[in-house]
Amino acid sequence: MRIAFLGPPGAGKGTQVELVSREYGVSVLSTGDAFRAMMKGEDKLAQKVRSYVEKGELVPDGVVFEIVREFVDNKDSFILDGYPRNLRQAELLDDFLEVKGLALTGVVNILLDEDEIVKRLTGRLVCPQCGRVYNIYYSPPHKDEVCDDCGVPLERRIDDEDDVIRQRIKVYHREMKPVVDFYQRKGLLFNVDGTGDIHEVFERIKKVLDGK
Ligand code: ADP
Ligand code: ADP
Ligand code: ZN
């Protein structure tokens, strides 16, 4: 199983990919998580990455692909969360995998409308210690804004601010149309309705993935 998950910010990619990873025993690379880990540093690269992420812009393709290439290299099973984000990234990945004879086996595209995206993102809280993701509307922690597992105060992501959310949605729609067409032409694209609770969405995804 070699799968990429697409979908607008807040569609539930991270949430679903974790369930998929556990169900099928496949390892995941989230490029967003990789960048958030990098941004904890103070070096040049951390500053560079931060300058894009905090504005809701895409990190340059070369920087992203370096991370992705290392992860997928010689794996016959993997899941990508948040990659590709534009046509160039899709082509870079495709060329790399083709040569190895390990092309993607499917692309899951989670669909969600803008009002629901904004609600999910403005409600998102993340544990800075373990990375667990909560939502103040849908899946709040037991105690006020504190991680159930670690007991530390939850944080909002730096890019889950109203104006940055709008910018990310704009960038997504601008860049992703050709990517969706690219995978559609290859017969790899599976659209999944992202509305409803986490388990409803997961059931839809499992139907797509069984046999991939
Ligand atoms: P993405 O990785 O696509 O940005 P996340 O998985 O981080 O999305 O989900 C965004 C926010 O919405 C999080 O706060 C998460 O808890 C919440 N969420 C995810 N899936 C659902 C769902 N099906 N219903 C309600 N809230 C959800
Ligand atoms: P979401 O799906 O909630 O927008 P991610 O966690 O996937 O968030 O990404 C957060 C940010 O990290 C993006 O807005 C972008 O700045 C950067 N990023 C993540 N993946 C990529 C990628 N494939 N290419 C370029 N930038 C990326
Ligand atoms: Zn925690």
Side-chain angles (χ1 to χ4, degrees), residues 87-134:
L87 187 59
R88 178 84 191 112
Q89 291 186 8
E91 289 169 346
L92 281 168
L93 178 66
D94 202 59
D95 290 348
F96 184 75
L97 295 177
E98 204 99 299
V99 173
K100 306 251 169 189
L102 294 169
L104 291 179
T105 56
V107 173
V108 175
N109 185 28
I110 305 180
L111 307 173
L112 199 68
D113 72 42
E114 183 151 346
D115 289 346
E116 181 63 16
I117 290 172
V118 172
K119 181 166 182 191
R120 287 190 191 177
L121 291 182
T122 48
R124 175 158 62 188
L125 291 174
V126 185
C127 173
Q129 197 148 306
C130 70
R132 185 166 161 188
V133 179
Y134 295 83

mmCIF file of all heavy atoms in Angstrom, residues 87-134:
data_model
loop_
_atom_site.group_PDB
_atom_site.id
_atom_site.type_symbol
_atom_site.label_atom_id
_atom_site.label_comp_id
_atom_site.label_asym_id
_atom_site.label_seq_id
_atom_site.Cartn_x
_atom_site.Cartn_y
_atom_site.Cartn_z
ATOM 1 N N LEU A 87 1.581 20.690 -8.429
ATOM 2 C CA LEU A 87 1.851 19.749 -9.523
ATOM 3 C C LEU A 87 3.317 19.353 -9.593
ATOM 4 O O LEU A 87 3.648 18.184 -9.840
ATOM 5 C CB LEU A 87 1.394 20.354 -10.858
ATOM 6 C CG LEU A 87 1.473 19.412 -12.058
ATOM 7 C CD1 LEU A 87 0.632 18.152 -11.846
ATOM 8 C CD2 LEU A 87 1.025 20.131 -13.336
ATOM 9 N N ARG A 88 4.201 20.308 -9.363
ATOM 10 C CA ARG A 88 5.637 20.017 -9.408
ATOM 11 C C ARG A 88 5.999 18.915 -8.400
ATOM 12 O O ARG A 88 6.761 18.003 -8.689
ATOM 13 C CB ARG A 88 6.413 21.308 -9.124
ATOM 14 C CG ARG A 88 7.899 21.176 -9.090
ATOM 15 C CD ARG A 88 8.505 21.245 -10.506
ATOM 16 N NE ARG A 88 9.915 20.858 -10.470
ATOM 17 C CZ ARG A 88 10.390 19.740 -11.030
ATOM 18 N NH1 ARG A 88 9.595 18.941 -11.691
ATOM 19 N NH2 ARG A 88 11.674 19.454 -10.948
ATOM 20 N N GLN A 89 5.443 19.030 -7.197
ATOM 21 C CA GLN A 89 5.719 18.022 -6.161
ATOM 22 C C GLN A 89 5.188 16.651 -6.573
ATOM 23 O O GLN A 89 5.824 15.624 -6.338
ATOM 24 C CB GLN A 89 5.080 18.428 -4.832
ATOM 25 C CG GLN A 89 5.738 19.636 -4.181
ATOM 26 C CD GLN A 89 5.187 19.934 -2.792
ATOM 27 O OE1 GLN A 89 4.416 19.160 -2.243
ATOM 28 N NE2 GLN A 89 5.591 21.065 -2.228
ATOM 29 N N ALA A 90 4.022 16.651 -7.204
ATOM 30 C CA ALA A 90 3.446 15.381 -7.664
ATOM 31 C C ALA A 90 4.348 14.742 -8.715
ATOM 32 O O ALA A 90 4.596 13.526 -8.697
ATOM 33 C CB ALA A 90 2.046 15.617 -8.230
ATOM 34 N N GLU A 91 4.871 15.570 -9.620
ATOM 35 C CA GLU A 91 5.725 15.044 -10.689
ATOM 36 C C GLU A 91 7.064 14.547 -10.147
ATOM 37 O O GLU A 91 7.564 13.499 -10.575
ATOM 38 C CB GLU A 91 5.949 16.129 -11.749
ATOM 39 C CG GLU A 91 4.695 16.403 -12.566
ATOM 40 C CD GLU A 91 4.793 17.647 -13.439
ATOM 41 O OE1 GLU A 91 5.728 18.470 -13.236
ATOM 42 O OE2 GLU A 91 3.920 17.830 -14.308
ATOM 43 N N LEU A 92 7.631 15.292 -9.207
ATOM 44 C CA LEU A 92 8.902 14.860 -8.599
ATOM 45 C C LEU A 92 8.744 13.485 -7.952
ATOM 46 O O LEU A 92 9.581 12.595 -8.129
ATOM 47 C CB LEU A 92 9.343 15.865 -7.518
ATOM 48 C CG LEU A 92 10.012 17.153 -7.981
ATOM 49 C CD1 LEU A 92 10.116 18.144 -6.823
ATOM 50 C CD2 LEU A 92 11.395 16.855 -8.547
ATOM 51 N N LEU A 93 7.662 13.313 -7.216
ATOM 52 C CA LEU A 93 7.409 12.038 -6.527
ATOM 53 C C LEU A 93 7.185 10.917 -7.536
ATOM 54 O O LEU A 93 7.741 9.820 -7.428
ATOM 55 C CB LEU A 93 6.188 12.178 -5.612
ATOM 56 C CG LEU A 93 5.775 10.903 -4.874
ATOM 57 C CD1 LEU A 93 6.850 10.484 -3.864
ATOM 58 C CD2 LEU A 93 4.431 11.094 -4.165
ATOM 59 N N ASP A 94 6.356 11.213 -8.527
ATOM 60 C CA ASP A 94 6.016 10.231 -9.541
ATOM 61 C C ASP A 94 7.269 9.723 -10.253
ATOM 62 O O ASP A 94 7.460 8.508 -10.403
ATOM 63 C CB ASP A 94 5.078 10.916 -10.544
ATOM 64 C CG ASP A 94 4.274 9.896 -11.302
ATOM 65 O OD1 ASP A 94 3.544 9.133 -10.635
ATOM 66 O OD2 ASP A 94 4.377 9.842 -12.543
ATOM 67 N N ASP A 95 8.131 10.650 -10.670
ATOM 68 C CA ASP A 95 9.362 10.262 -11.377
ATOM 69 C C ASP A 95 10.236 9.383 -10.491
ATOM 70 O O ASP A 95 10.776 8.377 -10.933
ATOM 71 C CB ASP A 95 10.166 11.511 -11.785
ATOM 72 C CG ASP A 95 9.460 12.291 -12.889
ATOM 73 O OD1 ASP A 95 8.498 11.753 -13.468
ATOM 74 O OD2 ASP A 95 9.866 13.444 -13.152
ATOM 75 N N PHE A 96 10.352 9.801 -9.243
ATOM 76 C CA PHE A 96 11.218 9.063 -8.315
ATOM 77 C C PHE A 96 10.710 7.640 -8.092
ATOM 78 O O PHE A 96 11.470 6.673 -8.146
ATOM 79 C CB PHE A 96 11.290 9.817 -6.980
ATOM 80 C CG PHE A 96 12.216 9.195 -5.984
ATOM 81 C CD1 PHE A 96 13.600 9.319 -6.111
ATOM 82 C CD2 PHE A 96 11.720 8.474 -4.904
ATOM 83 C CE1 PHE A 96 14.463 8.740 -5.192
ATOM 84 C CE2 PHE A 96 12.582 7.884 -3.980
ATOM 85 C CZ PHE A 96 13.948 8.017 -4.126
ATOM 86 N N LEU A 97 9.403 7.500 -7.872
ATOM 87 C CA LEU A 97 8.833 6.177 -7.563
ATOM 88 C C LEU A 97 8.794 5.266 -8.787
ATOM 89 O O LEU A 97 9.003 4.058 -8.685
ATOM 90 C CB LEU A 97 7.417 6.324 -6.974
ATOM 91 C CG LEU A 97 7.322 7.023 -5.620
ATOM 92 C CD1 LEU A 97 5.861 7.157 -5.196
ATOM 93 C CD2 LEU A 97 8.106 6.279 -4.542
ATOM 94 N N GLU A 98 8.535 5.878 -9.938
ATOM 95 C CA GLU A 98 8.444 5.119 -11.189
ATOM 96 C C GLU A 98 9.730 4.345 -11.461
ATOM 97 O O GLU A 98 9.710 3.156 -11.767
ATOM 98 C CB GLU A 98 8.182 6.098 -12.349
ATOM 99 C CG GLU A 98 7.509 5.442 -13.522
ATOM 100 C CD GLU A 98 6.005 5.715 -13.506
ATOM 101 O OE1 GLU A 98 5.342 5.324 -12.541
ATOM 102 O OE2 GLU A 98 5.538 6.342 -14.451
ATOM 103 N N VAL A 99 10.849 5.054 -11.313
ATOM 104 C CA VAL A 99 12.153 4.447 -11.561
ATOM 105 C C VAL A 99 12.361 3.233 -10.664
ATOM 106 O O VAL A 99 12.951 2.236 -11.058
ATOM 107 C CB VAL A 99 13.277 5.491 -11.299
ATOM 108 C CG1 VAL A 99 14.654 4.850 -11.374
ATOM 109 C CG2 VAL A 99 13.171 6.637 -12.306
ATOM 110 N N LYS A 100 11.868 3.311 -9.445
ATOM 111 C CA LYS A 100 12.043 2.206 -8.483
ATOM 112 C C LYS A 100 11.018 1.097 -8.698
ATOM 113 O O LYS A 100 11.049 0.069 -8.006
ATOM 114 C CB LYS A 100 11.854 2.730 -7.050
ATOM 115 C CG LYS A 100 12.724 3.916 -6.714
ATOM 116 C CD LYS A 100 13.796 3.499 -5.750
ATOM 117 C CE LYS A 100 14.814 4.617 -5.630
ATOM 118 N NZ LYS A 100 15.989 4.226 -4.888
ATOM 119 N N GLY A 101 10.040 1.341 -9.561
ATOM 120 C CA GLY A 101 8.965 0.365 -9.743
ATOM 121 C C GLY A 101 8.019 0.307 -8.554
ATOM 122 O O GLY A 101 7.374 -0.703 -8.289
ATOM 123 N N LEU A 102 7.948 1.423 -7.803
ATOM 124 C CA LEU A 102 7.116 1.456 -6.590
ATOM 125 C C LEU A 102 6.138 2.623 -6.644
ATOM 126 O O LEU A 102 6.020 3.394 -5.687
ATOM 127 C CB LEU A 102 8.010 1.596 -5.343
ATOM 128 C CG LEU A 102 8.929 0.419 -5.023
ATOM 129 C CD1 LEU A 102 9.939 0.786 -3.930
ATOM 130 C CD2 LEU A 102 8.113 -0.797 -4.576
ATOM 131 N N ALA A 103 5.438 2.764 -7.767
ATOM 132 C CA ALA A 103 4.505 3.882 -7.933
ATOM 133 C C ALA A 103 3.402 3.848 -6.877
ATOM 134 O O ALA A 103 3.126 2.801 -6.282
ATOM 135 C CB ALA A 103 3.877 3.815 -9.319
ATOM 136 N N LEU A 104 2.756 4.997 -6.658
ATOM 137 C CA LEU A 104 1.630 5.059 -5.727
ATOM 138 C C LEU A 104 0.564 4.053 -6.150
ATOM 139 O O LEU A 104 0.354 3.827 -7.353
ATOM 140 C CB LEU A 104 1.008 6.461 -5.710
ATOM 141 C CG LEU A 104 1.837 7.593 -5.093
ATOM 142 C CD1 LEU A 104 1.063 8.919 -5.182
ATOM 143 C CD2 LEU A 104 2.195 7.299 -3.636
ATOM 144 N N THR A 105 -0.127 3.488 -5.152
ATOM 145 C CA THR A 105 -1.222 2.560 -5.462
ATOM 146 C C THR A 105 -2.586 3.222 -5.310
ATOM 147 O O THR A 105 -3.604 2.657 -5.699
ATOM 148 C CB THR A 105 -1.140 1.309 -4.562
ATOM 149 O OG1 THR A 105 -1.135 1.730 -3.188
ATOM 150 C CG2 THR A 105 0.124 0.518 -4.831
ATOM 151 N N GLY A 106 -2.609 4.414 -4.725
ATOM 152 C CA GLY A 106 -3.875 5.139 -4.602
ATOM 153 C C GLY A 106 -3.668 6.505 -3.982
ATOM 154 O O GLY A 106 -2.649 6.751 -3.329
ATOM 155 N N VAL A 107 -4.622 7.392 -4.231
ATOM 156 C CA VAL A 107 -4.593 8.745 -3.663
ATOM 157 C C VAL A 107 -5.979 9.019 -3.079
ATOM 158 O O VAL A 107 -6.979 8.945 -3.793
ATOM 159 C CB VAL A 107 -4.254 9.781 -4.757
ATOM 160 C CG1 VAL A 107 -4.386 11.197 -4.227
ATOM 161 C CG2 VAL A 107 -2.840 9.542 -5.287
ATOM 162 N N VAL A 108 -6.013 9.280 -1.780
ATOM 163 C CA VAL A 108 -7.284 9.552 -1.118
ATOM 164 C C VAL A 108 -7.445 11.065 -0.995
ATOM 165 O O VAL A 108 -6.589 11.746 -0.430
ATOM 166 C CB VAL A 108 -7.325 8.910 0.288
ATOM 167 C CG1 VAL A 108 -8.594 9.301 1.035
ATOM 168 C CG2 VAL A 108 -7.209 7.388 0.178
ATOM 169 N N ASN A 109 -8.523 11.576 -1.563
ATOM 170 C CA ASN A 109 -8.767 13.025 -1.564
ATOM 171 C C ASN A 109 -9.972 13.308 -0.665
ATOM 172 O O ASN A 109 -11.103 12.995 -1.028
ATOM 173 C CB ASN A 109 -9.043 13.464 -3.007
ATOM 174 C CG ASN A 109 -9.184 14.956 -3.157
ATOM 175 O OD1 ASN A 109 -8.605 15.722 -2.379
ATOM 176 N ND2 ASN A 109 -9.945 15.383 -4.152
ATOM 177 N N ILE A 110 -9.723 13.874 0.508
ATOM 178 C CA ILE A 110 -10.811 14.130 1.464
ATOM 179 C C ILE A 110 -11.452 15.491 1.151
ATOM 180 O O ILE A 110 -10.758 16.502 1.065
ATOM 181 C CB ILE A 110 -10.299 14.109 2.921
ATOM 182 C CG1 ILE A 110 -9.586 12.787 3.222
ATOM 183 C CG2 ILE A 110 -11.443 14.345 3.899
ATOM 184 C CD1 ILE A 110 -9.045 12.671 4.645
ATOM 185 N N LEU A 111 -12.755 15.473 0.966
ATOM 186 C CA LEU A 111 -13.476 16.689 0.566
ATOM 187 C C LEU A 111 -14.215 17.294 1.762
ATOM 188 O O LEU A 111 -14.840 16.570 2.541
ATOM 189 C CB LEU A 111 -14.501 16.350 -0.525
ATOM 190 C CG LEU A 111 -13.944 15.609 -1.746
ATOM 191 C CD1 LEU A 111 -15.090 15.191 -2.668
ATOM 192 C CD2 LEU A 111 -12.946 16.486 -2.505
ATOM 193 N N LEU A 112 -14.128 18.628 1.889
ATOM 194 C CA LEU A 112 -14.840 19.310 2.980
ATOM 195 C C LEU A 112 -15.087 20.757 2.596
ATOM 196 O O LEU A 112 -14.214 21.400 2.012
ATOM 197 C CB LEU A 112 -13.991 19.255 4.256
ATOM 198 C CG LEU A 112 -14.743 19.503 5.567
ATOM 199 C CD1 LEU A 112 -15.717 18.358 5.857
ATOM 200 C CD2 LEU A 112 -13.763 19.640 6.733
ATOM 201 N N ASP A 113 -16.277 21.272 2.929
ATOM 202 C CA ASP A 113 -16.546 22.659 2.516
ATOM 203 C C ASP A 113 -15.946 23.675 3.490
ATOM 204 O O ASP A 113 -15.570 23.350 4.607
ATOM 205 C CB ASP A 113 -18.042 22.896 2.273
ATOM 206 C CG ASP A 113 -18.829 22.913 3.557
ATOM 207 O OD1 ASP A 113 -18.365 23.499 4.556
ATOM 208 O OD2 ASP A 113 -19.923 22.322 3.567
ATOM 209 N N GLU A 114 -15.857 24.918 2.987
ATOM 210 C CA GLU A 114 -15.051 25.930 3.669
ATOM 211 C C GLU A 114 -15.545 26.279 5.081
ATOM 212 O O GLU A 114 -14.734 26.478 5.986
ATOM 213 C CB GLU A 114 -14.964 27.181 2.795
ATOM 214 C CG GLU A 114 -14.091 28.236 3.419
ATOM 215 C CD GLU A 114 -13.411 29.142 2.403
ATOM 216 O OE1 GLU A 114 -13.388 28.815 1.200
ATOM 217 O OE2 GLU A 114 -12.901 30.195 2.836
ATOM 218 N N ASP A 115 -16.852 26.335 5.291
ATOM 219 C CA ASP A 115 -17.355 26.680 6.632
ATOM 220 C C ASP A 115 -16.905 25.655 7.670
ATOM 221 O O ASP A 115 -16.497 25.994 8.782
ATOM 222 C CB ASP A 115 -18.894 26.743 6.643
ATOM 223 C CG ASP A 115 -19.406 27.963 5.891
ATOM 224 O OD1 ASP A 115 -18.579 28.858 5.625
ATOM 225 O OD2 ASP A 115 -20.608 28.003 5.574
ATOM 226 N N GLU A 116 -17.001 24.386 7.263
ATOM 227 C CA GLU A 116 -16.615 23.321 8.189
ATOM 228 C C GLU A 116 -15.085 23.312 8.399
ATOM 229 O O GLU A 116 -14.616 23.059 9.514
ATOM 230 C CB GLU A 116 -17.127 21.979 7.652
ATOM 231 C CG GLU A 116 -16.826 20.779 8.505
ATOM 232 C CD GLU A 116 -17.454 20.768 9.910
ATOM 233 O OE1 GLU A 116 -18.389 21.554 10.173
ATOM 234 O OE2 GLU A 116 -16.986 19.966 10.753
ATOM 235 N N ILE A 117 -14.333 23.604 7.343
ATOM 236 C CA ILE A 117 -12.869 23.707 7.471
ATOM 237 C C ILE A 117 -12.512 24.743 8.532
ATOM 238 O O ILE A 117 -11.712 24.494 9.434
ATOM 239 C CB ILE A 117 -12.228 24.158 6.129
ATOM 240 C CG1 ILE A 117 -12.325 23.062 5.077
ATOM 241 C CG2 ILE A 117 -10.779 24.562 6.329
ATOM 242 C CD1 ILE A 117 -11.887 23.524 3.679
ATOM 243 N N VAL A 118 -13.120 25.912 8.407
ATOM 244 C CA VAL A 118 -12.785 27.012 9.313
ATOM 245 C C VAL A 118 -13.165 26.644 10.751
ATOM 246 O O VAL A 118 -12.412 26.886 11.691
ATOM 247 C CB VAL A 118 -13.466 28.329 8.864
ATOM 248 C CG1 VAL A 118 -13.287 29.425 9.900
ATOM 249 C CG2 VAL A 118 -12.914 28.776 7.510
ATOM 250 N N LYS A 119 -14.316 25.997 10.913
ATOM 251 C CA LYS A 119 -14.731 25.596 12.258
ATOM 252 C C LYS A 119 -13.741 24.599 12.861
ATOM 253 O O LYS A 119 -13.308 24.743 14.001
ATOM 254 C CB LYS A 119 -16.140 24.991 12.211
ATOM 255 C CG LYS A 119 -16.638 24.583 13.572
ATOM 256 C CD LYS A 119 -18.122 24.295 13.607
ATOM 257 C CE LYS A 119 -18.530 23.930 15.033
ATOM 258 N NZ LYS A 119 -19.892 23.390 15.104
ATOM 259 N N ARG A 120 -13.367 23.605 12.077
ATOM 260 C CA ARG A 120 -12.427 22.601 12.596
ATOM 261 C C ARG A 120 -11.076 23.216 12.940
ATOM 262 O O ARG A 120 -10.462 22.858 13.940
ATOM 263 C CB ARG A 120 -12.242 21.469 11.578
ATOM 264 C CG ARG A 120 -13.450 20.561 11.504
ATOM 265 C CD ARG A 120 -13.135 19.337 10.691
ATOM 266 N NE ARG A 120 -14.322 18.559 10.387
ATOM 267 C CZ ARG A 120 -14.326 17.475 9.646
ATOM 268 N NH1 ARG A 120 -13.202 17.042 9.112
ATOM 269 N NH2 ARG A 120 -15.449 16.829 9.415
ATOM 270 N N LEU A 121 -10.604 24.147 12.086
ATOM 271 C CA LEU A 121 -9.266 24.703 12.328
ATOM 272 C C LEU A 121 -9.248 25.685 13.486
ATOM 273 O O LEU A 121 -8.289 25.714 14.258
ATOM 274 C CB LEU A 121 -8.712 25.370 11.067
ATOM 275 C CG LEU A 121 -8.370 24.419 9.929
ATOM 276 C CD1 LEU A 121 -7.784 25.193 8.763
ATOM 277 C CD2 LEU A 121 -7.379 23.357 10.383
ATOM 278 N N THR A 122 -10.301 26.487 13.616
ATOM 279 C CA THR A 122 -10.299 27.434 14.741
ATOM 280 C C THR A 122 -10.486 26.677 16.059
ATOM 281 O O THR A 122 -10.110 27.177 17.112
ATOM 282 C CB THR A 122 -11.395 28.521 14.588
ATOM 283 O OG1 THR A 122 -12.629 27.882 14.258
ATOM 284 C CG2 THR A 122 -11.046 29.505 13.495
ATOM 285 N N GLY A 123 -11.014 25.447 15.996
ATOM 286 C CA GLY A 123 -11.196 24.654 17.214
ATOM 287 C C GLY A 123 -10.042 23.708 17.509
ATOM 288 O O GLY A 123 -10.052 23.003 18.508
ATOM 289 N N ARG A 124 -9.033 23.655 16.623
ATOM 290 C CA ARG A 124 -7.958 22.665 16.804
ATOM 291 C C ARG A 124 -6.988 23.062 17.914
ATOM 292 O O ARG A 124 -6.513 24.189 17.964
ATOM 293 C CB ARG A 124 -7.180 22.508 15.486
ATOM 294 C CG ARG A 124 -5.975 21.586 15.607
ATOM 295 C CD ARG A 124 -5.518 21.013 14.280
ATOM 296 N NE ARG A 124 -5.081 22.003 13.312
ATOM 297 C CZ ARG A 124 -4.800 21.702 12.040
ATOM 298 N NH1 ARG A 124 -4.915 20.463 11.593
ATOM 299 N NH2 ARG A 124 -4.423 22.647 11.210
ATOM 300 N N LEU A 125 -6.672 22.121 18.777
ATOM 301 C CA LEU A 125 -5.655 22.299 19.818
ATOM 302 C C LEU A 125 -4.720 21.101 19.751
ATOM 303 O O LEU A 125 -5.171 19.980 19.484
ATOM 304 C CB LEU A 125 -6.295 22.355 21.209
ATOM 305 C CG LEU A 125 -7.140 23.580 21.560
ATOM 306 C CD1 LEU A 125 -7.810 23.376 22.920
ATOM 307 C CD2 LEU A 125 -6.286 24.845 21.577
ATOM 308 N N VAL A 126 -3.432 21.343 19.997
ATOM 309 C CA VAL A 126 -2.438 20.285 19.865
ATOM 310 C C VAL A 126 -1.599 20.207 21.139
ATOM 311 O O VAL A 126 -1.244 21.238 21.708
ATOM 312 C CB VAL A 126 -1.509 20.565 18.658
ATOM 313 C CG1 VAL A 126 -0.544 19.406 18.441
ATOM 314 C CG2 VAL A 126 -2.312 20.815 17.385
ATOM 315 N N CYS A 127 -1.278 18.985 21.552
ATOM 316 C CA CYS A 127 -0.396 18.820 22.708
ATOM 317 C C CYS A 127 1.052 19.034 22.258
ATOM 318 O O CYS A 127 1.520 18.325 21.363
ATOM 319 C CB CYS A 127 -0.541 17.433 23.313
ATOM 320 S SG CYS A 127 0.675 17.123 24.613
ATOM 321 N N PRO A 128 1.770 19.988 22.875
ATOM 322 C CA PRO A 128 3.148 20.254 22.471
ATOM 323 C C PRO A 128 4.093 19.109 22.847
ATOM 324 O O PRO A 128 5.165 18.984 22.288
ATOM 325 C CB PRO A 128 3.522 21.528 23.237
ATOM 326 C CG PRO A 128 2.593 21.559 24.411
ATOM 327 C CD PRO A 128 1.327 20.873 23.975
ATOM 328 N N GLN A 129 3.647 18.243 23.769
ATOM 329 C CA GLN A 129 4.513 17.151 24.208
ATOM 330 C C GLN A 129 4.347 15.890 23.361
ATOM 331 O O GLN A 129 5.313 15.355 22.856
ATOM 332 C CB GLN A 129 4.214 16.834 25.667
ATOM 333 C CG GLN A 129 5.300 16.019 26.335
ATOM 334 C CD GLN A 129 5.396 16.363 27.809
ATOM 335 O OE1 GLN A 129 5.539 17.520 28.195
ATOM 336 N NE2 GLN A 129 5.281 15.354 28.638
ATOM 337 N N CYS A 130 3.105 15.430 23.178
ATOM 338 C CA CYS A 130 2.910 14.138 22.480
ATOM 339 C C CYS A 130 2.308 14.309 21.084
ATOM 340 O O CYS A 130 2.214 13.345 20.328
ATOM 341 C CB CYS A 130 2.021 13.215 23.309
ATOM 342 S SG CYS A 130 0.294 13.743 23.390
ATOM 343 N N GLY A 131 1.882 15.522 20.740
ATOM 344 C CA GLY A 131 1.353 15.758 19.394
ATOM 345 C C GLY A 131 -0.111 15.387 19.224
ATOM 346 O O GLY A 131 -0.673 15.540 18.133
ATOM 347 N N ARG A 132 -0.757 14.891 20.287
ATOM 348 C CA ARG A 132 -2.164 14.511 20.159
ATOM 349 C C ARG A 132 -3.001 15.738 19.785
ATOM 350 O O ARG A 132 -2.808 16.831 20.306
ATOM 351 C CB ARG A 132 -2.656 13.906 21.485
ATOM 352 C CG ARG A 132 -4.055 13.374 21.401
ATOM 353 C CD ARG A 132 -4.375 12.486 22.587
ATOM 354 N NE ARG A 132 -5.812 12.353 22.714
ATOM 355 C CZ ARG A 132 -6.438 11.773 23.731
ATOM 356 N NH1 ARG A 132 -5.728 11.277 24.724
ATOM 357 N NH2 ARG A 132 -7.740 11.695 23.760
ATOM 358 N N VAL A 133 -3.936 15.508 18.858
ATOM 359 C CA VAL A 133 -4.753 16.605 18.323
ATOM 360 C C VAL A 133 -6.166 16.543 18.897
ATOM 361 O O VAL A 133 -6.804 15.490 18.869
ATOM 362 C CB VAL A 133 -4.804 16.531 16.784
ATOM 363 C CG1 VAL A 133 -5.678 17.644 16.218
ATOM 364 C CG2 VAL A 133 -3.406 16.626 16.195
ATOM 365 N N TYR A 134 -6.637 17.687 19.421
ATOM 366 C CA TYR A 134 -7.985 17.787 19.992
ATOM 367 C C TYR A 134 -8.785 18.803 19.192
ATOM 368 O O TYR A 134 -8.265 19.491 18.316
ATOM 369 C CB TYR A 134 -7.909 18.287 21.443
ATOM 370 C CG TYR A 134 -7.213 17.356 22.393
ATOM 371 C CD1 TYR A 134 -5.817 17.362 22.500
ATOM 372 C CD2 TYR A 134 -7.927 16.481 23.182
ATOM 373 C CE1 TYR A 134 -5.167 16.510 23.389
ATOM 374 C CE2 TYR A 134 -7.298 15.621 24.076
ATOM 375 C CZ TYR A 134 -5.910 15.651 24.175
ATOM 376 O OH TYR A 134 -5.283 14.802 25.047
#
